[in-house]
Amino acid sequence: MARSLEREVIQAGGWMQWAVRDIERRAEGVLPNPFTDEWDFLTRAVWTTDEARGEVRQFPNLPYIEEMVRERRRHRIFAIEKSRRMLVSWTFCALYLYNVLTRRTQADYIASRKLETSCELVGRLVGIHERIPASLWKNRPDIVLHAGPTGKGYRRIDVPKTGSFVEAVAEGKDQLRQYSASNILMDEAAFWTKGEESWSALRPTIEGGGHIDICSTPELGSWMYSLLYEDMV
């Protein structure tokens, strides 16, 4: 890699994360908004949907999620194993929304094995945006929606006020190599059929100053297992 990187493995709260810290990570300016940081946004302004119960709930103030959010800031590559009820994917969706609402010219991508699944995750951002209480953020930036190919979820959302966007993409080196990303999420990455080549295609994102998030439920023997425990980097 172009920059000096420090590797570390951290285990806390029953979950394992692997990360590469970029010593030279630059500070990014944040536009004026009513929140002190992204964790303040998550715990005060974010409501998620519980598909199992059919309910809308305020994002929970849980210590392990707060540690995940604060630790992620320190890393250019952040990988975490998850279970279904840990709200990890919801956390990343909220973080990506906050980023494009408050920072200029951000190019964020959400990737899954299939484009349709990525579009559904971008749809979560739309729902979070709609449910931000007006009393908390009176001048909340508007978003422009671009429908997904199947009518479920959204292929892209644009934020005209900041010139930033979040776009859904599928796995694969050809799909991912063409993008220059500020942030990119690889969701359920352990189950990607083209996981290793997708990861390799994203390496220039790090060298260009971007950030990669990787999350998945565990899968023994997967490429992500090798990344976490056998140091593929």
Side-chain angles (χ1 to χ4, degrees):
M1 294 185 183
R3 293 184 174 90
S4 172
L5 300 176
E6 174 187 351
R7 295 190 180 120
E8 62 183 82
V9 176
I10 302 166
Q11 187 170 11
W15 47 273
M16 176 65 110
Q17 64 191 20
W18 176 93
V20 176
R21 180 186 300 175
D22 186 346
I23 306 302
E24 299 174 356
R25 185 175 187 184
R26 71 184 189 279
E28 296 181 4
V30 179
L31 298 180
N33 67 84
F35 308 101
T36 57
D37 58 15
E38 61 265 60
W39 179 243
D40 188 37
F41 171 73
L42 261 69
T43 54
R44 292 175 57 210
V46 173
W47 268 255
T48 66
T49 55
D50 186 330
E51 292 87 352
R53 299 183 180 182
E55 298 175 352
V56 175
R57 295 184 173 187
Q58 187 169 11
F59 194 89
N61 188 338
L62 296 173
Y64 77 86
I65 300 181
E66 181 178 8
E67 182 175 356
M68 167 189 157
V69 170
R70 299 198 185 285
E71 188 65 31
R72 173 183 175 268
R73 295 176 186 170
R74 304 169 56 233
H75 304 284
R76 207 37 87 71
I77 304 171
F78 186 83
I80 181 171
E81 289 184 343
K82 64 177 183 176
S83 65
R84 184 175 296 273
R85 306 296 294 178
M86 287 180 68
L87 294 173
V88 171
S89 293
W90 275 105
T91 300
F92 281 123
C93 287
L95 291 174
Y96 278 46
L97 178 64
Y98 180 75
N99 185 59
V100 297
L101 291 179
T102 61
R103 289 181 170 88
R104 297 190 187 279
T105 62
Q106 296 292 289
D108 288 2
Y109 296 89
I110 293 180
S112 299
R113 190 167 68 87
K114 296 182 178 180
L115 177 60
E116 292 81 0
T117 306
S118 302
C119 291
E120 291 176 10
L121 289 173
V122 174
R124 291 187 183 185
L125 276 73
V126 176
I128 293 171
H129 182 267
E130 291 174 347
R131 292 187 289 269
I132 296 173
S135 59
L136 284 179
W137 200 349
K138 295 181 180 179
N139 297 317
R140 176 194 66 188
D142 294 328
I143 59 176
V144 177
L145 309 179
H146 305 267
T150 64
K152 293 184 64 176
Y154 296 91
R155 178 66 186 267
R156 174 170 165 143
I157 63 171
D158 287 281
V159 185
K161 185 175 182 178
T162 62
S164 300
F165 66 86
V166 181
E167 185 169 338
V169 294
E171 68 165 331
K173 63 180 181 180
D174 295 331
Q175 286 84 352
L176 296 176
R177 182 180 291 123
Q178 60 184 305
Y179 300 110
S180 177
S182 304
N183 297 276
I184 186 161
L185 170 64
M186 302 173 69
D187 188 66
E188 290 294 4
F191 301 94
W192 289 20
T193 56
K194 302 175 182 177
E196 288 190 48
E197 65 181 62
S198 299
W199 164 249
S200 297
L202 287 175
R203 296 293 287 275
T205 295
I206 301 300
E207 297 170 355
H211 177 99
I212 298 175
D213 295 299
I214 310 170
C215 70
S216 184
T217 47
E219 177 71 359
L220 184 65
S222 69
W223 78 274
M224 186 175 172
Y225 181 89
S226 297
L227 177 67
L228 284 168
Y229 301 109
E230 299 175 13
D231 200 10
M232 261 178 51
V233 174

